[in-house]
Amino acid sequence: MADETTETEQAPKKGGRKPDPMTQLLNELKAAVKELGDYEVADIEPSLRRGHDRRAQAWAEAFGKSGRLDGLLLSRAFEALACFEHERRHALIQLAAVALNEAARQDAK
């Protein structure tokens, strides 16, 4: 009995799975972080911190009234500058969440 070999045709490969938009954004973010360069991280003086806190509150109120991106983004940015060191990580993650969400929305357009 002779061995029979059957040839099977493979279907052409599809374009592959589209990467998750957030994963793609995080990869872009990692590349941007590599390009940042050095900057100083110093303690924020209490009077300056209070000023940042007032600005954060004002922008949060503006966001509450208008629902606009500028109010949300600026309130989170000033909050990150107004907070104490042990709160900073959380505030920066909140700021980054707004920025990444808006970048994802821009990509969806």
Side-chain angles (χ1 to χ4, degrees):
M1 185 174 225
D3 280 281
E4 289 186 27
T5 336
T6 57
E7 290 185 32
T8 58
E9 287 187 34
Q10 290 185 345
K13 290 187 178 182
K14 295 182 181 177
R17 197 170 88 178
K18 196 173 183 181
D20 172 50
M22 195 57 71
T23 300
Q24 186 174 346
L25 282 172
L26 290 173
N27 288 336
E28 290 177 39
L29 181 64
K30 288 176 185 178
V33 166
K34 289 179 182 178
E35 296 175 13
L36 274 179
D38 293 333
Y39 53 89
E40 182 182 350
V41 179
D43 287 334
I44 298 173
E45 297 297 319
S47 62
L48 191 54
R49 180 175 282 124
R50 284 190 298 274
H52 292 328
D53 193 46
R54 285 191 299 274
R55 288 176 183 87
Q57 183 61 37
W59 280 110
E61 289 173 12
F63 173 69
K65 291 176 185 173
S66 69
R68 289 174 37 135
L69 174 65
D70 58 348
L72 180 58
L73 194 58
L74 289 167
S75 69
R76 296 288 170 96
F78 280 112
E79 181 64 32
L81 294 169
C83 67
F84 294 100
E85 187 175 345
H86 66 278
E87 303 167 317
R88 189 169 294 146
R89 182 179 187 277
H90 176 74
L92 290 170
I93 288 173
Q94 296 299 309
L95 175 60
V98 173
L100 284 173
N101 187 60
E102 183 56 25
R105 288 178 56 179
Q106 294 294 313
D107 286 347
K109 289 183 179 181

